Amino acid sequence: NDCRLPITPSILAKIIEALPSVTTSHFTRILLQAMYLLAFHAFLRVGEITKTSGSNQHFLRRNHLSLVKDPSAGNYLELTIPHFKHSKQSITLHIKESISQPLLCPFNACQTYLAIRLHKTADEALFSFMDGTPVSRIFFTDHLHRSLSFCGLDMQKYHSHSFRIGAATTAASSGLSEIQIQNMGRWKSSAYKKYIRIPSLQL
């Protein structure tokens, strides 16, 4: 039985607000805020934003993310995911800025991060340190656990996959159709249904 809980928007706000207490590095705070928000809003798997020990890995590069400033449609992120589980085809997502909730706005967070990081090449890891070293899965999960722990949340029940679970649960509670959720999360089967945990939104 999968006991992992969703990272809901309210929990997302808490773990972002916890970052100054989790790390003294200004850059790390900006980096993690962008990672948390993009992971949630784009239904990302941890292997898409971090480097693991596996050799055949397709994490996001700098050229996969664009900031689009559209006076008529509003600002949004254009994120191209080159390959993902079950598919060799790329997919492009448009993630709108959140004007009503600035703290949870993926556009603002990524814009701030990119302005500091200043990647030297388009092929560098999107989420990487100033020297170009990709963020490792261990670094990300360690800091996520610290953020959760600071908020008094059970680290046995929240994991990096909780962003995907939270994204699906939040989308369902907002009235999105099953096919929309399946497309947003890039699920090829009905596996997405396991990610929708509506009662957990009360937490």
Side-chain angles (χ1 to χ4, degrees):
N1 189 24
D2 187 351
C3 66
R4 294 177 297 186
L5 290 174
I7 289 178
T8 59
S10 60
I11 291 174
L12 192 55
K14 285 177 185 171
I15 62 174
I16 288 169
E17 287 170 338
L19 287 174
S21 305
V22 167
T23 174
T24 55
S25 162
H26 175 68
F27 174 75
T28 301
R29 290 201 297 273
I30 298 295
L31 166 71
L32 289 170
Q33 182 168 353
M35 293 183 82
Y36 289 176
L37 288 172
L38 198 63
F40 177 84
H41 287 281
F43 291 66
L44 295 176
R45 298 176 175 91
V46 68
E48 292 167 337
I49 54 172
T50 64
K51 187 171 186 351
T52 61
S53 53
S55 55
N56 185 27
Q57 202 199 350
H58 306 291
F59 53 81
L60 294 168
R61 310 278 177 175
R62 173 62 188 92
N63 61 330
H64 294 142
L65 183 69
S66 301
L67 301 168
V68 181
K69 298 183 179 182
D70 187 329
S72 56
N75 299 337
Y76 62 90
L77 295 170
E78 187 173 270
L79 178 67
T80 299
I81 301 173
H83 326 258
F84 49 94
K85 204 173 175 181
H86 317 306
S87 179
K88 295 271 191 292
Q89 287 184 308
S90 69
I91 185 172
T92 299
L93 307 174
H94 287 173
I95 304 159
K96 292 182 178 176
E97 70 177 334
S98 175
I99 297 168
S100 59
Q101 292 180 294
L103 180 69
L104 299 183
C105 178
F107 183 90
N108 287 348
C110 288
Q111 179 172 243
T112 303
Y113 162 67
L114 292 174
I116 293 175
R117 175 60 185 83
L118 296 173
H119 295 70
K120 291 183 175 63
T121 68
D123 198 45
E124 276 189 291
L126 174 61
F127 292 114
S128 46
F129 299 102
M130 296 301 272
D131 65 357
T133 306
V135 173
S136 69
R137 184 177 190 145
I138 292 170
F139 180 91
F140 180 77
T141 53
D142 176 53
H143 281 78
L144 175 60
H145 283 160
R146 290 188 208 178
S147 303
L148 292 163
S149 177
F150 183 82
C151 297
L153 293 161
D154 186 346
M155 290 185 293
Q156 301 302 313
K157 294 184 176 175
Y158 292 92
H159 301 267
S160 54
H161 222 61
S162 293
F163 289 107
R164 255 172 91 72
I165 298 169
T169 300
T170 303
S173 71
S174 301
L176 269 66
S177 70
E178 292 191 346
I179 197 75
Q180 284 175 304
I181 294 167
Q182 195 174 355
N183 289 339
M184 289 166 78
R186 312 180 307 286
W187 283 287
K188 288 292 181 195
S189 66
S190 60
Y192 70 93
K193 291 181 179 178
K194 295 186 298 186
Y195 286 71
I196 297 171
R197 322 240 169 122
I198 297 291
S200 302
L201 279 180
Q202 274 37 277
L203 294 176

